[in-house]
Amino acid sequence: GENVEQHPSTLSVQEGDSAVIKCTYSDSASNYFPWYKQELGKRPQLIIDIRSNVGEKKDQRIAVTLNKTAKHFSLHITETQPEDSAVYFCAATYNFNKFYFGSGTKLNVKP
Amino acid sequence: DVKVTQSSRYLVKRTGEKVFLECVQDMDHENMFWYRQDPGLGLRLIYFSYDVKMKEKGDIPEGYSVSREKKERFSLILESASTNQTSMYLCASNTRGGSPLHFGNGTRLTVT
C-alpha cells in the first residue's frame, strides 16, 4: 500500500514568519493530495488540496506544491498567525478511495 | 454541510468487553472509513467500506471488525477490547466520485 512520510514532527515559528511542511509518498499512482488542520480537541478539517495534474495551488496565505517526479508535496503558510497553531496532516490517495496520512506536524506560532 | 456523527465522544470499557463504535453520515456518501489516531503515528486506516455490506481492510485491521448494513451507517466493532486499543477513533466519509474526507468529531476510547 501507500506510505506517506511527513516532516518535521514539530515546527515552531514566530508570528509573521513562513512555515513549510513536507511530505513524501511511495505510490506513483496516487493522484490526490489533501492537507488537513486539526485544532486541539476538534476534527481534522480540509484546508487545501491538490490533484496530480497540477503543480501548485494557492488559497490566500496557504499554498501547496506537488512534484510528481520526486513524489513529494509541501504545504506553505505565509504570514503565520497564532490561530494557525494546530496539527497538520498530509494525505495521499488514488481515486479518492483509501486515504493514507502522514504522521502529523505540530505547528506552534509564537506571538 | 456534510455531517458525520459519531455516537459517543468518550467511552470507557473493560478489557475483554465487546465494543461498538457507531458512525452516521447524512450526505449519501458511498465511502466510509474508520481511522485510529495516536500521537506521533498520524491517522491509520482500520477499515474502509465502499458500499453497503462491502469492506476492505486497511493497514491495522487486527482486533477489529466492521459492519455496514445501511449506506449511512458504519460501525466499528472491537470483539474483545484490549488496553492497546485505547485510542482516538475517527470516522470519515466521502463520495466515490471524488471528494475530500469529511470527519466526525472522534470517539476517545479508554480500555482499562
Side-chain angles (χ1 to χ4, degrees):
Chain A
E2 174 67 276
N3 181 45
V4 178
E5 294 191 359
Q6 182 172 347
H7 300 280
S9 56
T10 59
L11 180 59
S12 192
V13 300
Q14 207 66 40
E15 182 178 358
D17 287 350
S18 294
V20 180
I21 302 170
K22 299 182 178 182
C23 289
T24 60
Y25 61 99
S26 61
D27 188 350
S28 56
S30 290
N31 56 6
Y32 175 69
F33 307 90
W35 285 88
Y36 286 82
K37 175 183 180 182
Q38 187 178 29
E39 297 175 349
L40 194 62
K42 297 191 175 181
R43 71 183 79 191
Q45 300 263 26
L46 179 75
I47 55 170
I48 196 166
D49 55 11
I50 192 166
R51 299 191 185 220
S52 58
N53 58 350
V54 176
E56 185 173 355
K57 184 176 177 181
K58 191 172 181 181
D59 182 5
Q60 299 183 333
R61 297 186 298 106
I62 294 173
V64 57
T65 58
L66 171 66
N67 183 327
K68 283 191 300 182
T69 304
K71 288 189 281 189
H72 68 71
F73 56 113
S74 300
L75 177 71
H76 304 253
I77 306 174
T78 58
E79 300 170 21
T80 53
Q81 301 167 4
E83 51 265 38
D84 293 330
S85 295
V87 179
Y88 291 81
F89 293 99
C90 61
T93 180
Y94 171 68
N95 284 353
F96 298 85
N97 291 321
K98 296 180 182 179
F99 284 68
Y100 295 89
F101 285 81
S103 54
T105 296
K106 185 174 183 180
L107 174 63
N108 179 37
V109 181
K110 295 178 285 187
Chain B
D1 197 22
V2 176
K3 196 164 185 181
V4 180
T5 304
Q6 294 183 231
S7 55
S8 302
R9 195 67 200 265
Y10 299 95
L11 270 181
V12 180
K13 297 291 181 182
R14 292 193 182 275
T15 301
E17 276 193 82
K18 190 169 186 176
V19 181
F20 293 85
L21 303 184
E22 307 286 348
C23 176
V24 176
Q25 50 93 4
D26 66 356
M27 284 300 290
D28 203 36
H29 284 169
E30 295 88 0
N31 296 340
M32 296 189 75
F33 307 77
W34 276 106
Y35 284 90
R36 172 175 170 161
Q37 182 176 12
D38 298 289
L41 297 177
L43 282 68
R44 293 179 292 166
L45 181 63
I46 306 172
Y47 267 99
F48 158 58
S49 171
Y50 52 93
D51 205 343
V52 174
K53 297 188 188 295
M54 307 305 287
K55 62 187 180 185
E56 281 187 22
K57 292 180 181 179
D59 291 334
I60 53 164
E62 297 80 17
Y64 303 95
S65 62
V66 290
S67 172
R68 191 158 181 210
E69 297 296 319
K70 293 185 178 181
K71 191 175 184 180
E72 68 271 19
R73 186 179 296 270
F74 192 33
S75 302
L76 180 68
I77 304 155
L78 288 66
E79 295 290 341
S80 178
S82 64
T83 54
N84 62 13
Q85 293 178 309
T86 291
S87 188
M88 171 67 82
Y89 291 87
L90 287 165
C91 176
S93 70
N94 77 334
T95 60
R96 190 180 300 149
S99 71
L101 291 184
H102 299 268
F103 285 92
N105 277 324
T107 296
R108 170 78 62 187
L109 173 67
T110 301
V111 183
T112 61

